[in-house]
Amino acid sequence: MATPNALFAIFAVTDAVAAAAVEARLLNISPWLYLKVGTGEWLVIAPTATTTKELCDRIGLGTVDPVGSGIVVRAEGYFGRNSKSIWEWIATKQGAELGTATPA
């Protein structure tokens, strides 16, 4: 059985301008996957070895070319109530074959 991919949550992005910039950068994190779940809030699936700092730097919330501030958390477990499609997305994508990410 393959090792599941890492699940990250991005939230508390400072403002609409920063959120738009983060979303633009998320478009370029292929083959990593993301899902917008609210304004300034996304879920990201990345290879297991990915760190929160690496993800922050790639999307503009870290120390490399920042576009704003926000919070990125690696989720080792999760629970809650939301749309069934979100839970299905997480379950499906955690087992997906992602390939190799291109440098930021």
Side-chain angles (χ1 to χ4, degrees), residues 7-15 18-19 22-23 26 35-44 52 55-56 59-61 68-75:
L7 172 65
F8 296 87
I10 303 167
F11 57 98
V13 176
T14 47
D15 55 44
V22 167
E23 189 152 22
L26 283 167
L35 177 68
K36 184 172 186 169
V37 294
T39 304
E41 300 174 343
W42 300 268
L43 297 176
V44 173
T52 52
L55 179 55
C56 282
I59 63 170
L61 296 178
S69 61
I71 299 171
V72 175
V73 174
R74 182 178 177 133

Side-chain angles (χ1 to χ4, degrees), residues 76-97:
E76 299 300 328
Y78 55 88
F79 186 84
R81 294 185 61 201
N82 212 312
S83 166
K84 181 179 177 183
S85 64
I86 291 174
W87 304 117
E88 289 173 348
W89 185 89
I90 293 170
T92 301
K93 303 308 182 195
Q94 278 195 301
E97 182 65 41

Side-chain angles (χ1 to χ4, degrees), residues 1-6 46-48 74 94-95:
M1 184 170 134
T3 303
N5 297 311
T48 301
R74 182 178 177 133
Q94 278 195 301

